[in-house]
Amino acid sequence: FDYARSISLANEAAALCSVVTAVQRQISNYPQTEVQDADMIRDKGLFRLLTYNQRKAVRHRRNEKRLLKRTVAALEKQIARQGLDAEQLERAEGSTLGKLLPGDEKLYGMKQRTALEDRLEKMGLPIDLR
């Protein structure tokens, strides 16, 4: 199986959406929001009352939340750019041959392979018969 190829548009959308959901769940596990952490850092009087390690922990926690939010934004942008937010996406219907997503040929220099080419490769035979 060629892991560089997508199985189907629906599978790709499901995978990206599950990562977005996992990251959003991780963000919701924090006791404070990023805004609350930023407010705490801006309040110099309160922030000085914390120990050195506590101040570093608050900054680190805020930076983690920023990175997680950027990850969600990047994944949602990729989902929208590839058209994976549509309702009726094409499914693999049991085929593991894999499909190229729109734009993958240009982006990665790949082309859609046929079932015959896939079988020839599995048998160790040359794919290009010219």
Side-chain angles (χ1 to χ4, degrees):
F1 183 75
D2 185 0
Y3 292 101
R5 291 184 286 164
S6 299
I7 292 177
S8 69
L9 293 175
N11 183 279
E12 193 73 10
L16 290 174
C17 288
S18 67
V19 173
V20 168
T21 302
V23 173
Q24 288 172 335
R25 188 172 298 135
Q26 182 63 36
I27 292 171
S28 70
N29 286 337
Y30 287 101
Q32 291 89 14
T33 66
E34 180 189 351
V35 173
Q36 290 170 327
D37 286 343
D39 290 342
M40 182 184 293
I41 292 169
R42 271 192 294 257
D43 185 354
K44 298 296 181 189
L46 174 65
F47 202 59
R48 284 190 199 129
L49 293 176
L50 300 175
T51 66
Y52 175 78
N53 285 340
Q54 288 172 330
R55 289 192 303 264
K56 290 292 183 186
V58 170
R59 285 190 182 115
H60 182 75
R61 184 177 63 203
R62 184 195 60 182
N63 288 335
E64 280 182 352
K65 292 173 195 172
R66 283 180 173 177
L67 287 172
L68 291 171
K69 284 183 176 182
R70 288 179 186 164
T71 300
V72 168
L75 289 169
E76 288 174 343
K77 181 179 178 183
Q78 182 177 356
I79 289 169
R81 185 174 37 109
Q82 291 183 342
L84 300 175
D85 50 357
E87 285 296 318
Q88 298 294 323
L89 293 175
E90 181 182 346
R91 299 200 167 277
E93 303 300 331
S95 170
T96 58
L97 179 61
K99 298 187 184 283
L100 289 179
L101 297 178
D104 277 359
E105 184 174 339
K106 188 184 236 182
L107 190 62
Y108 301 113
M110 302 166 68
K111 66 176 190 166
Q112 182 66 44
R113 292 171 50 185
T114 65
L116 174 61
E117 290 172 327
D118 199 46
R119 276 189 235 118
L120 288 173
E121 182 184 54
K122 284 179 185 176
M123 293 178 357
L125 298 172
I127 295 171
D128 189 9
L129 300 174
R130 289 181 232 170

